[in-house]
């Protein structure tokens, strides 16, 4: 098989401080579809073009941030093998039983060197409606409800020891490095990793505090939809960090903004794609500004300092 | 590894009846970069965002059509294994020695049931310039020379026995079915196959004559670039078959047009993506019009009849 | 004053054969705002970015077509002067009393040589909401309800003696010719006339039958909105005549489609602008295809024959 | 006539400190066409879609800024009448003889209360090529040379007494107010004035120093072209002030950036249109941020302070 092992980002569980505000933000402004609420009160959402039950889980807590980020793997056999590979590599894994998340099978959870909880799972209920699989229409009003991203695309996490994280993702999970910002040879400020032909399925920035979230990212169709996202954010008084603009890294167009709890999210479009036989693109510190914000060619103050 | 085996379309060799006209078309109008000419007089080209030496080879002949379509595989070991797997499956393979195509390693060639020649190879010279791998710029004038697609994306081939083709691509080459048009259960008019997260890396339409080409397809950045492509085609008196419009299948936006020899090519943008754990989208014959041309919801006369 | 006299298209009254179907089409699919119904049962609509009470009036009748097309003039004094100028020019004018159309002042109606009823008026109720005039937002959900054009933009009418029509519009009403298609010197197939910096506020095609409607046209924001319009038409099973494509004349992008009664309408975007001191652009009959449909460079069968 | 009197912005003469750098910027980066050089060494340029000989004049000087901004009027008779009207209004006018600017007829120059030199003229050589007036193509390579705006669109000037400026433009020159930012009733911070259906042909911000330039503005086709402009600015190391973003005022999308001498210029697209019978849109000081930069909803530091 050409697409094997770890397939794609599956879900992120993030912490929000006011659930009503969070639901308003993610459902009404961002335009995600509410998929359910579990006994713990966690709220599940997905984007309109996703086919699995949910991709975002909101948990009420007293501080913002990310609980865990999960990847869908090809099948149960793959999950078992990756669990075994992780243990053989020296990673302690934990089994979360099926059903702990709504409509989701058993998950393998493990902590990586940057201090983040990562999960793998093989099963989640498909929710793609029959009419979407049989003679589907190319447009529906759902595509215009709120900002209306197509999918959860990736996340950018901040923490220490990202060279160890990269090694694990490459050697055990089958990811490859697409782009990186080099402080000096062998010492990266940031790494973008892919398990597919996407420009990134997950990314990391070196940061002293472990387990921090820079942003979760949602994919839009076009640069015009990025403009519409910015307009809807302004109408909705969502706090925009920066954008619309373009990243040098991945060449994607982007807006960074904050949810009501202070979690940064991104709405982005376009950008590069990658293949494992390609040499990674390298950025050096003298061009770190252009790497992150291509038009301004300088970092804004928040980029390196504001995380949740 | 998550991306393994067959990675992507690598090159198409097509037949043209007047080489000067063909070069004008593919280099000056479409905007591909001329990469070289070999001793046989074949002309090599690539798109501006590709990283391998070439993706299109023009061969002078007395009729239009496609000689072969090739896929890049992960590495030499993969090539050897796939050769062995093909033979074990009963497919006769032929080794084309390294260097027969400029800057290209050994190729494994085989004929599939639809009558087309398919190739696999592991090595081709990388041409991505150093400045493209180190602090690259997001824009260069090259992106505005002619229609300027990013890459050769896929091809659509016409021939018999496409169910056998599908079986081979799935069982030996690791592709998966993304969408199909069903005449009746078990009998498809058309199949779209992916070896990645692209909506298709190759597609087939059932057709009595073997070995025919419907089109080779080039990827554009946006719907606005599709408009620009149509404008440039009109200025350049390129014969447009249909478009700008949208496909129902893959949801991509598209123009079909003809090169001076009568080979159809496509400039397309956007569209779905796919994963191997997703159920294929099915189209039925009563909606075949919308499947192919979403706005008109009917086939044009040329779609099923004009091939090269 | 730099903008004086006749300012802009104000309203079109068109005939529909089934009012419920027509309302569904113009309100739900096209996305116009319903503004009222009068005692005769006529239904009034406007586009979301218009500031006057209505721009489209639907009248139930047993055949499709246009009753009249009206222009807003600068003020009551201008109306009086233009009425007098028209009479001096030999045109018979009729006064329609204020209130005959909802929220509309007195109208001056006259027939032109092509057999169409044209109206001028100075007063119509402003409906722009206070919040739209004070610190307005750049986006509202109204902009995504249906196809959602910004305004009624112009109409294209078919009839005889268009050289007389042109003379009247230029000499009495202050329009200027922006583009024309010439059959032979002094004998035009089609004329595009402007009273502003728009590429056209009204256009005519020479046609033996008087008083016919080719299309009324609605303005969209962008080429991407033209694509969205085509998608919504397909979902809604609106019959598309042609498009998305580009006109050579005016360089605008366009879709022609039909309402349920068979009245053609256009959703278009972009295009040229004009000034009265510019020489008109001329198209000759050998390029009439490119003039009308720039990408195909040929007329479709319906263009010259299907009118209502 | 419906379009009478003052028709449109005709030219701006700006001061640059290094002519070679300025030519590189305006010709190679912005993509204007060089139209000529006069005996004084002034360099003339125009945009690809303009029909008059030039719209921008560069004059070498030891400080940046604007010498004068000129409007094309309908004809010689209009010019004479406006000169007489200005004098009757108490404005001192000066006649600049034909030929003082290349290919340009006599100009009437006068100073307005904000300290700026404004000019009117009736004649300038038309340069639109015959092939652009006869069966023109909708696309040419010229449209992709540099940023490639369609035209000089308007300017924003800073100076005192803008209420007097508004009165003059309205009462003598026939402009109308489209939008304004009100400090308190009767005291505006900024005014946007139109002589056509454009959202603005000229605009003013109240500022203690007379005769200052905030920016001259060039029109682009689309939001995607605004992105391309930002990319080209980044590649070319043009200093971007802000953008891509949207203005609340006029709803246009925009980038502000600086030429090598420090003159701000704008590349913008879209936005509202206006008519003289419409009530102006009012912005209040509590929303001045959204008025100027709709997404950020706050002014950047440079907006009120950096002028040339």
């Amino acid at each position: 098989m050409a697409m094997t092992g770890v397939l794609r980002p599956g879900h992120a569980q993030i912490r929000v401080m006011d659930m009503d505000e969070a639901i308003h933000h993610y459902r009404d402004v961002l335009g995600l579809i509410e998929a359910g609420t579990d006994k713990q009160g966690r709220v599940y959402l997905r984007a309109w073009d996703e086919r699995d039950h949910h991709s975002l889980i909101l948990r009420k807590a007293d501080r913002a941030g990310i609980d865990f980020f999960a990847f869908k793997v090809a099948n149960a056999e793959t999950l078992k093998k990756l669990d075994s590979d992780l243990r053989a590599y020296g990673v302690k894994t934990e089994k979360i039983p099926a059903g702990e998340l709504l409509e989701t099978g058993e998950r393998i959870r493990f902590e990586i060197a940057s201090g983040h909880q990562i999960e793998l799972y093989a099963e989640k209920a498909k929710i793609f409606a029959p009419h979407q699989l049989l003679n589907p229409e190319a447009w529906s009003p759902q595509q215009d409800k709120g900002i209306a991203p197509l999918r959860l695309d990736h996340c950018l996490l901040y923490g220490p020891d990202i060279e160890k994280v990269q090694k694990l993702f490459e050697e055990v999970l089958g990811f490859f490095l697409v782009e990186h910002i080099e402080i000096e040879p062998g010492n990266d400020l940031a790494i973008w990793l892919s398990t597919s032909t996407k420009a990134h399925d997950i990314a990391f920035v070196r940061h002293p505090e472990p387990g921090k979230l820079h942003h979760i990212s949602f994919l839009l169709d076009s640069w015009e939809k990025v403009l519409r996202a910015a307009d809807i954010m302004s109408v909705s008084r969502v706090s925009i960090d920066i954008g619309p603009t373009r990243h040098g890294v991945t060449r994607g167009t982007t807006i960074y903004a904050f949810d009501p709890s202070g979690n940064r999210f991104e709405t982005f479009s376009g950008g590069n794609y990658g293949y494992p036989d390609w040499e990674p693109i390298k950025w050096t510190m003298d061009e770190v500004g252009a790497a992150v914000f291509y038009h301004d060619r300088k970092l804004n103050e928040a980029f390196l300092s504001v995380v949740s």
Side-chain angles (χ1 to χ4, degrees), chain A:
Chain A
M1 279 288 282
M3 281 289 297
T4 57
V6 177
L7 296 182
R8 64 177 170 274
H11 54 251
Q13 179 168 309
I14 64 166
R15 296 186 295 271
V16 297
M17 291 183 290
D18 181 309
M19 187 57 83
D20 289 342
E21 279 182 7
I23 291 173
H24 171 66
H25 174 79
Y26 286 102
R27 184 191 59 196
D28 303 334
V29 178
L30 193 54
L32 301 181
I33 298 166
E34 218 178 323
T37 305
D38 68 17
K39 290 179 202 164
Q40 297 178 38
R42 293 181 298 189
V43 174
Y44 295 64
L45 303 113
R46 68 172 170 270
W48 68 266
D49 202 33
E50 291 179 326
R51 301 204 192 177
D52 299 329
H53 180 263
H54 61 268
S55 57
L56 184 67
I57 306 135
L58 307 177
R59 182 173 72 82
K60 186 168 167 23
D62 55 6
R63 62 191 177 96
I66 188 164
D67 285 337
F68 48 81
F69 192 78
F71 293 94
K72 172 80 169 66
V73 305
N75 49 40
E77 191 187 350
T78 300
L79 185 64
K80 199 171 166 183
K81 180 174 187 318
L82 286 170
D83 184 22
S84 157
D85 291 351
L86 284 163
R87 288 168 182 272
Y89 193 80
V91 175
K92 194 177 150 194
T93 65
E94 178 191 3
K95 283 196 169 72
I96 316 288
E100 197 275 338
L101 282 178
L102 290 184
E103 303 284 352
T104 308
E106 185 183 67
R107 291 130 63 207
I108 302 297
R109 185 185 294 172
F110 53 97
E111 186 170 307
I112 56 175
S114 58
H116 299 93
Q117 305 295 316
I118 302 293
E119 296 185 353
L120 306 177
Y121 68 94
E123 300 297 336
K124 189 181 288 182
K126 294 279 182 283
I127 48 69
F128 219 56
H131 74 268
Q132 295 172 291
L133 292 174
L134 178 64
N135 301 323
E137 298 290 345
W139 184 87
S140 87
Q142 188 66 49
Q143 298 175 28
D144 286 327
K145 289 206 174 140
I147 291 170
L150 285 84
R151 68 178 182 216
L152 172 69
D153 190 85
H154 66 271
C155 67
L156 172 56
L157 304 176
Y158 273 41
D161 295 329
I162 63 172
E163 68 288 350
K164 291 182 192 160
V165 170
Q166 179 180 342
K167 204 165 176 302
L168 175 73
F169 271 84
E170 286 180 349
E171 296 183 6
V172 185
L173 301 177
F175 285 60
F176 59 96
L177 183 69
V178 182
E179 304 201 26
H180 61 126
I181 302 174
E182 194 182 84
I183 300 171
E184 59 197 349
N187 181 9
D188 282 332
L189 172 67
I191 54 176
W192 284 261
L193 298 162
S194 177
T195 185
S196 63
T197 53
K198 288 166 58 184
H200 43 11
D201 287 298
I202 194 164
F204 294 89
V205 165
R206 188 179 302 278
H207 186 74
E209 258 186 307
K212 306 306 278 183
L213 172 66
H214 187 270
H215 70 264
I216 54 171
S217 181
F218 297 91
L219 179 68
L220 298 178
D221 262 335
S222 67
W223 171 239
E224 188 159 316
K225 289 283 175 72
V226 174
L227 174 62
R228 182 179 175 275
D231 291 341
I232 292 177
M233 289 179 198
S234 179
V235 164
S236 310
R237 304 298 187 269
V238 168
S239 171
I240 292 178
D241 179 8
I242 194 165
T245 187
R246 187 195 284 283
H247 294 306
V249 173
T250 80
R251 218 166 53 202
T253 56
T254 180
I255 304 167
Y256 285 154
F258 295 101
D259 79 4
S261 299
N263 293 299
R264 192 189 276 98
F265 69 99
E266 179 183 38
T267 53
F268 93 106
S269 182
N272 292 327
Y273 53 98
Y275 282 101
D277 63 327
W278 283 2
E279 193 179 338
I281 290 174
K282 181 164 75 180
W283 297 82
T284 52
M285 290 303 286
D286 52 321
E287 291 288 0
V288 67
V292 178
F293 301 124
Y294 183 65
H295 298 150
D296 292 344
R297 301 191 85 93
K298 59 174 185 279
L299 296 182
N300 69 349
E301 204 181 290
F303 182 76
L304 287 174
S305 58
V306 181
V307 291
S308 64

